[in-house]
Amino acid sequence: MKKLRFGLPAIALATAGLFPSSLRLPGRCVFLNIALATAGLFPAYTLFSQKTSVKDIDTRVEALLAKMTLDEKIGQLHQIPGDISTGTDVAKDDMLSQIKAGKVGSVLSHTNFENKIVMQRTAIGSRLGIPLIFGFDVIHGYKTIFPIPLAQAASWDMALIERIERIAAEEASADGQNWTFSPMVDVARDPRWGRVMEGAGEDPYLGSRVAEARVRGFQGDDLSKNNTLAACTKHFAGYGFAEAGRDYNTVDMSEQRLREIVLPPFKAAADAGSATFMNAFNVLNGVPASMDKHLVTDILRGEWGWKGMVVSDWNSFGETIVHGAASDEMDASAKCLLAGSDMDMAGSTFQKGLKRALESGRVTQAQIDEAVRRVLRLKFAVGLFDDPFRYLDPKRRTATLEKPEYRLVAREAAAKSMVLLKNDGGLLPLRPEGPFKKIAIVGPYADSRANKDYMSFWTLGLGDVSQYDTTKVITPAMALKSSLEKEGFEVTITEICLNADCTEKDLSVAMKATAAAELVIVCVGERGIDCGESRSVSDINLKHNQEIIMKIASRGNKPTVMALFNSRPMTFPWAMENIPAIVVCWQPGFEAGNALADIVTGAVNPSGKLPITFPRSVGQVPLYYNALSTGRPQQQQGQMWTSGYLDAPATPAYPFGYGLSYTTFSYSDIRLNKTQLKPGETLEVSITVTNTGKYAGEEVVQLYVRDLSADIARPIKELKGFEKIKLDTYGNQVVTFKLTEKDLSYWNNDLKFKADPGKFKVFVGGNSRDVKEAEFELVR
């Protein structure tokens, strides 16, 4: 494409309307832009094409806002869905006419690259030429699919998580996306909830560190660079506490719990610079989150001083009517705008009701203008006013998407996310010099290409199905057979129980397939398509006779490895007691098979730790490590007049922070630099960790505290720090954590954040259960 240089010929061509429709005007062509703007043939915003400061952006926003009609302002608050959700064809549907009329500010979930260019060209050809911002749910990778977010959290590796999101941002931005609806930072304690896979688990401290890493990864060090994405922290707030684990359901909790458990990861994301936030679907204490002024204005914008833009979740403004909290679109528009929410995702509630709300006096022009300012500031921040096509470069797209080095990071991430729950007798890793030569690999997830297995709902791709090509997945069978045969093993593959539905015929096939084997690897779990939004379940046990397959495989005490492909904590009581080796693989993404092969062969020593508790049965749910002590804690199952069960232990199958290694680690006693901590001082908690096994390995050293005498009851343990270390065989390292009065503070029922003088316990260990402990005192 030829570039026209500024000067009289260019001005003449512009006046004559002879510029090609695809012309991109570089920001440095100031005089040309002035001429075109003066001629009325190019948007006035190009008068301000140089990169500017926040103050200058505000000046540009006010200049543009002064020129906008009410309809154009409401249009900037309107986001419409794209092809991945609706199959929309811009050539046939009404999308382009809406954009041309200035009635659209953003498009979400559009995959067709050429369409995005057409849409953006249409937007800058509108009266004021305000560019569109394209949003997309980049949940665990874009073109290169990584492990689900819950799995990434199991790595406890913040640098790795940041790298993952940096790659996701590189790919998505090269494909024309400017904004991701991620990270999801909802703390969740109920594995029945389908979206538990999208967050970092049950703990607010770990969730906060993961939130920071994700925001940094998406936004980089300069949001105006064209290889970044504006982050959108969601769902504000309480969504992870939906009653009964049913998606979109009611949330009711004290504000003390809200501030203690739910809000910390959101605050961390805000402090990390998250450009936008998203409302939650749920009601919180009776108020739909989209119209909750206390959440959005009082806390987010007021207490935290956050300056960004808030977008609804899909039609969550309109759903306030269904909740019974608004009478119609006018009422919903007024209540959501007055709460501090800005952009209406996919619902058209503002389009239908906001003008009427203004005319009736429910809202003011100044309140609408403030929401529009936030949208425009975001567009300036990501550089769309400097070059509307900066994310729509075909050459960059070709050069960036699906680089081979991205797959290497996906493989590393998948392996580091896997959690070894059990390894009796050191069954794993499999070594050529070991006693087993004939290996059978069976199960519904041994070699599946269906149902987005090893991925999730978020990689569904309804529009451009090539967005997530399942042929790019390395299945367990593909990688394990190759890796093990290179080591001299004989390997057979038998895929049975399609769709995880094990019939009588499948059981017969499993019997024959495993008869001659000396060791069996059984790949079980849940379908990838059952992982994500609107994927809640009432039963978290392995379904459809999958445990029967393991009983068949392990008959006669045959050594058996269970590889679990899951998006949530699951229960498998028979396997827990009888299968000697269990690996939680999660939904690991494109590199599923290679990562599992790395674990099974010992090329990678497992180091993952659970970011969420695995219960023994669904009847224990919700079950989480940082619970309050009851007045009658149960010491053993069936003990009367205590808080427990007659028919099962009250303890989990596997606790928060748990995960084994092929090596072993010992912890020394805790050493404190003082036993009394005064305000302004720092307590140093040190421990020596030693690798006592025969393999080099990584360990996540975890620090917990307990307040023994606060003004209100406090959790039996709270995570306050962690460090992932790598030790050679027989190597050791001193790990030191630092605690201050702030780390011991909490929100009381008067909503004061404070620490109480008195005794505390500090715990250090490899999980929340198996710890060393010491005691200190906070004094005034």
Side-chain angles (χ1 to χ4, degrees):
M1 180 179 66
K2 295 182 179 179
K3 291 184 179 179
L4 298 178
R5 298 182 179 276
F6 61 85
L8 292 177
I11 296 172
L13 287 172
T15 305
L18 297 179
F19 273 132
S21 60
S22 60
L23 178 65
R24 292 173 58 190
L25 299 177
R28 61 182 178 275
C29 299
V30 177
F31 298 117
L32 172 59
N33 293 341
I34 292 173
L36 296 181
T38 303
L41 297 175
F42 202 73
Y45 71 79
T46 55
L47 290 168
F48 310 100
S49 56
Q50 272 68 28
K51 183 179 175 182
T52 50
S53 66
V54 172
K55 182 178 179 180
D56 289 332
I57 285 177
D58 287 343
T59 301
R60 296 162 73 182
V61 167
E62 293 306 315
L64 184 54
L65 194 64
K67 298 177 182 179
M68 297 174 70
T69 66
L70 177 60
D71 285 342
E72 287 169 333
K73 290 175 180 178
I74 294 174
Q76 286 303 301
L77 309 181
H78 184 209
Q79 184 180 67
I80 61 175
D83 58 6
I84 200 169
S85 304
T86 64
T88 299
D89 183 342
V90 296
K92 296 179 182 178
D93 296 312
D94 192 40
M95 184 181 285
L96 291 185
S97 63
Q98 292 184 63
I99 295 171
K100 180 70 174 177
K103 293 182 177 181
V104 178
S106 176
V107 178
L108 77 151
S109 301
H110 201 85
T111 62
N112 186 290
F113 186 75
E114 289 73 22
N115 278 181
K116 285 192 283 255
I117 295 174
V118 172
M119 284 188 254
Q120 193 68 289
R121 186 181 298 146
T122 302
I124 65 169
S126 64
R127 190 181 78 87
L128 292 177
I130 301 173
L132 296 168
I133 185 166
F134 291 95
F136 200 87
D137 285 283
V138 184
I139 305 301
H140 52 111
Y142 187 69
K143 287 288 189 178
T144 303
I145 304 303
F146 293 88
I148 59 173
L150 185 62
Q152 294 177 32
S155 74
W156 295 59
D157 188 331
M158 301 306 108
L160 176 61
I161 292 172
E162 185 174 339
R163 270 196 294 152
I164 289 169
E165 305 303 22
R166 184 85 296 280
I167 290 169
E170 291 274 0
E171 288 195 319
S173 62
D175 200 34
Q177 313 296 355
N178 322 126
W179 179 20
T180 174
F181 305 120
S182 186
M184 191 199 91
V185 303
D186 298 295
V187 171
R189 294 168 165 178
D190 195 329
R192 296 173 297 180
W193 187 46
R195 298 191 81 166
V196 70
M197 55 73 60
E198 205 176 329
E202 70 187 46
D203 183 72
Y205 182 87
L206 177 61
S208 296
R209 304 293 78 76
V210 172
E212 293 163 348
R214 294 196 190 286
V215 171
R216 288 195 303 266
F218 286 131
Q219 297 191 170
D221 58 3
D222 182 354
L223 190 54
S224 69
K225 292 180 179 177
N226 70 350
N227 65 345
T228 64
L229 296 174
C232 184
T233 301
K234 63 184 187 184
H235 305 83
F236 199 62
Y239 189 36
F241 282 74
E243 290 181 358
R246 284 178 18 226
D247 214 345
Y248 321 118
N249 203 9
T250 301
V251 177
D252 198 294
M253 66 171 62
S254 69
E255 179 135 351
Q256 190 272 339
R257 171 172 278 197
L258 178 75
R259 290 177 178 268
E260 279 279 297
I261 304 299
V262 172
L263 293 186
F266 289 98
K267 177 64 161 60
D271 290 345
S274 180
T276 66
F277 265 54
M278 181 186 290
N279 301 124
F281 280 117
N282 54 279
V283 299
L284 176 63
N285 301 331
V287 181
S290 294
M291 51 183 274
D292 193 329
K293 181 177 180 293
H294 180 56
L295 273 180
V296 179
T297 295
D298 297 346
I299 296 176
L300 178 61
R301 300 194 189 282
E303 291 180 28
W304 298 354
W306 183 79
K307 304 296 185 184
M309 189 266 282
V310 176
V311 64
S312 80
D313 208 332
W314 189 287
N315 191 34
S316 66
F317 290 175
E319 289 175 13
T320 62
I321 302 170
V322 185
H323 283 301
S327 58
D328 56 18
E329 283 88 355
M330 181 184 75
D331 193 26
S333 295
K335 288 177 175 176
C336 292
L337 187 78
L338 292 175
S341 301
D342 302 312
M343 181 178 280
D344 181 7
M345 178 191 287
S348 299
T349 302
F350 276 1
Q351 284 281 307
K352 297 172 183 176
L354 192 53
K355 182 184 287 189
R356 288 192 290 131
L358 176 65
E359 292 168 348
S360 67
R362 294 287 303 280
V363 302
T364 66
Q365 185 65 63
Q367 288 164 335
I368 293 175
D369 287 353
E370 186 57 33
V372 177
R373 282 188 186 95
R374 293 174 186 137
V375 174
L376 296 178
R377 286 191 194 111
L378 176 64
K379 293 182 178 184
F380 274 110
V382 299
L384 289 171
F385 280 97
D386 294 308
D387 179 1
F389 299 95
R390 67 200 310 267
Y391 297 86
L392 293 166
D393 182 341
K395 290 183 179 179
R396 179 182 162 223
R397 180 178 188 268
T398 300
T400 302
L401 298 185
E402 299 183 86
K403 290 181 179 179
E405 54 263 40
Y406 296 165
R407 294 290 294 244
L408 296 177
V409 179
R411 180 173 182 168
E412 176 190 357
K416 285 191 171 183
S417 298
M418 292 181 180
V419 181
L420 182 65
L421 294 183
K422 194 176 179 184
N423 194 28
D424 290 354
L427 181 60
L428 294 176
L430 300 182
R431 294 296 194 187
E433 64 273 15
F436 315 114
K437 294 299 180 185
K438 296 180 179 181
I439 298 175
I441 302 173
V442 301
Y445 303 106
D447 199 27
S448 177
R449 293 286 184 188
N451 305 310
K452 302 299 174 183
D453 291 338
Y454 321 113
M455 297 189 287
S456 76
F457 154 84
W458 291 110
T459 55
L460 202 55
L462 291 178
D464 177 7
V465 293
S466 65
Q467 180 80 6
Y468 307 107
D469 184 352
T470 57
T471 64
K472 295 175 181 176
V473 175
I474 305 298
T475 69
M478 293 168 61
L480 283 168
K481 183 174 177 63
S482 173
S483 297
L484 292 171
E485 286 182 343
K486 286 179 182 177
E487 299 290 336
F489 295 96
E490 298 176 28
V491 180
T492 61
I493 308 292
T494 307
E495 188 180 13
I496 53 176
C497 311
L498 298 181
N499 293 316
D501 187 5
C502 299
T503 65
E504 290 294 329
K505 181 180 178 180
D506 290 314
L507 302 182
S508 177
V509 172
M511 184 78 73
K512 294 177 182 177
T514 59
E518 296 168 343
L519 181 142
V520 183
I521 300 174
V522 187
C523 299
V524 295
E526 57 184 344
R527 303 184 305 172
I529 202 171
D530 294 333
C531 167
E533 185 175 345
S534 193
R535 267 69 179 170
S536 295
V537 297
S538 64
D539 182 8
I540 58 174
N541 202 46
L542 269 179
K543 296 177 178 62
H544 307 304
N545 297 320
Q546 290 186 79
E547 279 204 301
I548 296 179
I549 294 295
M550 288 185 283
K551 291 179 182 179
I552 291 172
S554 62
R555 66 194 183 279
N557 293 321
K558 183 174 293 185
T560 303
V561 177
M562 170 181 155
L564 179 68
F565 293 90
N566 58 309
S567 61
R568 69 189 90 219
M570 301 187 75
T571 55
F572 33 88
W574 185 88
M576 177 183 169
E577 297 297 329
N578 294 280
I579 297 299
I582 300 175
V583 181
V584 173
C585 302
W586 311 103
Q587 302 292 359
F590 277 174
E591 290 292 317
N594 282 330
L596 180 57
D598 288 341
I599 294 292
V600 167
T601 62
V604 172
N605 190 346
S607 62
K609 301 278 189 173
L610 296 178
I612 187 167
T613 299
F614 272 46
R616 296 175 185 270
S617 70
V618 72
Q620 293 181 308
V621 171
L623 183 65
Y624 46 95
Y625 88 94
N626 50 349
L628 304 181
S629 176
T630 70
R632 297 183 176 188
Q634 189 176 80
Q635 303 300 320
Q636 60 184 28
Q637 181 185 334
Q639 182 183 2
M640 295 302 294
W641 324 121
T642 62
S643 181
Y645 305 101
L646 292 177
D647 60 347
T651 56
Y654 301 100
F656 174 83
Y658 181 84
L660 300 177
S661 169
Y662 292 149
T663 192
T664 53
F665 299 96
S666 68
Y667 285 72
S668 70
D669 290 335
I670 294 173
R671 300 182 297 278
L672 304 178
N673 68 330
K674 58 186 68 180
T675 56
Q676 288 191 331
L677 178 66
K678 297 177 181 178
E681 294 183 341
T682 298
L683 177 72
E684 294 185 358
V685 182
S686 299
I687 198 164
T688 302
V689 183
T690 303
N691 182 343
T692 55
K694 57 183 179 179
Y695 299 101
E698 291 183 290
E699 172 72 331
V700 180
V701 185
Q702 302 160 41
L703 170 76
Y704 300 87
V705 300
R706 181 178 185 183
D707 190 337
L708 297 174
S709 55
D711 285 350
I712 60 175
R714 302 296 301 141
I716 55 176
K717 288 190 183 78
E718 293 180 273
L719 183 69
K720 292 296 182 179
F722 61 88
E723 184 174 344
K724 193 165 189 175
I725 63 173
K726 186 172 184 178
L727 293 175
D728 291 331
T729 304
Y730 306 119
N732 64 71
Q733 180 174 329
V734 176
V735 178
T736 298
F737 299 99
K738 295 182 179 181
L739 292 172
T740 66
E741 183 180 15
K742 183 179 179 181
D743 297 308
L744 308 177
S745 298
Y746 65 95
W747 290 95
N748 68 7
N749 285 337
D750 295 325
L751 301 185
K752 294 179 180 178
F753 189 67
K754 68 188 192 79
D756 297 323
K759 292 183 177 180
F760 288 78
K761 281 190 175 181
V762 61
F763 311 88
V764 181
N767 61 72
S768 60
R769 181 189 64 198
D770 305 313
V771 292
K772 298 284 188 175
E773 67 178 74
E775 194 170 288
F776 69 94
E777 185 177 10
L778 178 64
V779 297
R780 296 297 188 193

